[in-house]
């Protein structure tokens, strides 16, 4: 794609375009340069029309809650799509399924899950980000993950074709699914077990309390920075290698949980350098190669 993106070389849409939109405010780590363009579709038809009519050379990136992302300082080229309009954030219960728009914030599920006794979905209510992001990364905690509750996923691909996938088609593994950058998750059907409302509310509160007491609060972070390698705890490997005391500019690891990044600066590059230094130190100390859980995207 040559030249700056402007309204003239983008499809006419009903939603909103924002140009050179700074992305730091959209991510939990609070760093990152601008998106060439941000697009907030009004609804699924608007999104589909955009995908079908846009120049095929314009790359797209789908941004969820930005809770698992390190956006580089050069920002993101092409169009960053954010499903924040209400048509992407609605939820409804049908029989034993909770259907959630992919843009729905997981924390906002607390009410519907507790008030209707939707057992098995309590864990999701405590994970930052959106339902779409949770499916994409098979997010999990408290002994469960999305692979255990997802029944079906409706996806639109970059050519505008919509398909519905069953759980077995999603390729779920530890913090992984088969969805690629050209797949935009639109809606997710989550299977629940009807349970006592008070019990469900109690589990949601216990999970929240656990996080309040065991995980850093109120810091700029993206949660667990590295995946737990088979048979190891990432935080332990980091501590043993001295990664818990490494600092790079305003980036360090949390004193409370040394697999959580703690960003006090304004540089994605510093955070990336810290991650690289920790990977090297752990490799040298224990021979284990840490794999990042946080996704790094964008231009240097
Ligand atoms: C304090 C804290 C605690 C955390 N605790 C946990 C935890 O316990 N367990 C856990 O698993 N994670 C945890 N995380 C990480 C993070 O919350 C999850 O990975 C979350 O599911 C990311 O969702 P998101 O919407 O923010 O996605 P983003 O960070 O915006 O994006 C992540 C990826 O998902 C893709 N994506 C987002 N939306 C869609 C969509 N609609 N369609 C297709 N792809 C999409 C993006 O393109 C990107 O590749 C934590 C993070 C923080 C900050």
């Amino acid at each position: 794609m040559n030249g700056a993106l402007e309204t003239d070389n983008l499809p006419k849409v009903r939603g909103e375009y924002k140009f050179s939109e700074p992305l730091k405010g959209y991510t939990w780590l609070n760093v990152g340069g601008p998106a060439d363009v941000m697009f907030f579709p009004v609804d699924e038809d608007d999104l589909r029309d955009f995908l079908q009519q846009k120049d095929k050379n314009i790359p797209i990136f789908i941004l969820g809650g930005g809770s698992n992302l390190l956006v580089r300082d050069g920002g993101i080229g092409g169009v960053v799509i954010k499903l924040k309009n209400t048509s992407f954030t609605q939820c409804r219960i049908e029989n034993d399924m909770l259907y959630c728009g992919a843009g729905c914030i997981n924390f906002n599920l607390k009410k519907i899950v507790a008030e209707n006794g939707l057992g098995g979905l309590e864990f999701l209510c405590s994970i930052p980000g959106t339902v779409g992001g949770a499916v994409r990364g098979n997010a999990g905690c408290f002994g469960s993950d999305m692979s255990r509750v997802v029944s079906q996923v409706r996806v639109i691909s970059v050519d505008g074709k919509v398909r519905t996938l069953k759980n077995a088609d999603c390729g779920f593994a530890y913090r992984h699914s088969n969805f690629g950058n050209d797949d935009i998750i639109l809606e997710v059907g989550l299977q629940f077990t009807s349970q006592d409302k008070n019990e469900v509310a109690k589990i949601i509160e216990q999970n929240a309390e656990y996080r309040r007491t065991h995980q850093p609060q109120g810091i700029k972070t993206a949660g667990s920075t590295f995946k737990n390698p088979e048979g190891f705890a990432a935080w332990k490997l980091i501590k043993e290698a001295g990664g818990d005391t490494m600092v790079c500019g305003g980036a360090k690891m949390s004193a409370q949980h040394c697999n959580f990044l703690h960003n006090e600066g304004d540089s994605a590059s510093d955070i990336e350098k810290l991650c690289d230094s920790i990977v090297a130190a752990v490799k040298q100390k224990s021979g284990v190669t840490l794999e990042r859980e946080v996704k790094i995207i964008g231009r240097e």
Side-chain angles (χ1 to χ4, degrees), residues 81-295:
I81 299 170
K82 180 132 173 102
L83 308 181
K84 72 162 193 180
N85 192 284
T86 47
S87 67
F88 296 106
T89 61
Q90 304 288 317
C91 294
R92 66 184 193 285
I93 298 171
E94 269 178 38
N95 303 319
D96 59 349
M97 298 261 277
L98 173 67
Y99 291 89
C100 303
C104 176
I105 303 285
N106 302 328
F107 295 156
N108 293 345
L109 291 173
K110 277 179 206 157
K111 195 168 148 60
I112 192 167
V113 169
E115 286 181 357
N116 295 280
L118 310 185
L121 303 184
E122 301 91 340
F123 78 97
L124 180 58
C125 304
S126 76
I127 299 179
T130 60
V131 172
V135 171
R136 172 75 180 267
N138 188 20
C141 55
F142 303 115
S144 195
D145 63 22
M146 296 305 283
S147 74
R148 290 174 176 235
V149 294
V150 166
S151 176
Q152 62 180 56
V153 183
R154 218 151 55 76
V155 185
I156 188 166
S157 41
V158 71
D159 58 6
K161 290 206 179 82
V162 175
R163 63 198 201 283
T164 300
L165 302 178
K166 297 280 175 213
N167 180 303
D169 306 321
C170 298
F172 286 127
Y174 172 51
R175 301 295 175 265
H176 173 84
S177 73
N178 280 347
F179 296 108
N181 282 335
D182 284 347
D183 295 316
I184 301 177
I185 295 164
L186 294 168
E187 190 186 57
V188 182
L190 301 171
Q191 190 101 42
F192 63 82
T193 315
S194 288
Q195 265 163 28
D196 180 75
K197 294 172 194 174
N198 295 331
E199 272 306 305
V200 170
K202 201 167 126 192
I203 296 172
I204 291 175
E205 180 44 35
Q206 280 169 352
N207 291 349
E209 177 60 16
Y210 180 90
R211 286 193 189 262
R212 281 194 292 272
T213 50
H214 290 78
Q215 295 180 357
Q217 303 292 303
I219 61 167
K220 293 171 188 171
T221 186
S224 293
T225 312
F226 299 99
K227 297 182 184 179
N228 289 321
E230 187 89 43
F232 296 95
W235 72 264
K236 222 169 168 187
L237 294 170
I238 294 169
K239 199 171 177 61
E240 284 163 6
D244 55 333
T245 55
M246 286 180 179
V247 175
C248 190
K252 58 184 180 181
M253 302 312 276
S254 153
Q256 192 180 354
H257 191 315
C258 68
N259 194 22
F260 273 50
L261 273 165
H262 180 172
N263 176 41
E264 292 181 315
D266 204 18
S267 161
S269 158
D270 283 347
I271 299 175
E272 193 170 354
K273 279 187 207 143
L274 176 67
C275 290
D276 291 346
S277 303
I278 289 176
V279 171
V282 168
K283 179 78 183 165
Q284 197 182 24
K285 177 76 183 170
S286 60
V288 178
T289 305
L290 284 181
E291 197 190 326
R292 272 196 319 268
E293 189 166 321
V294 172
K295 293 184 200 315

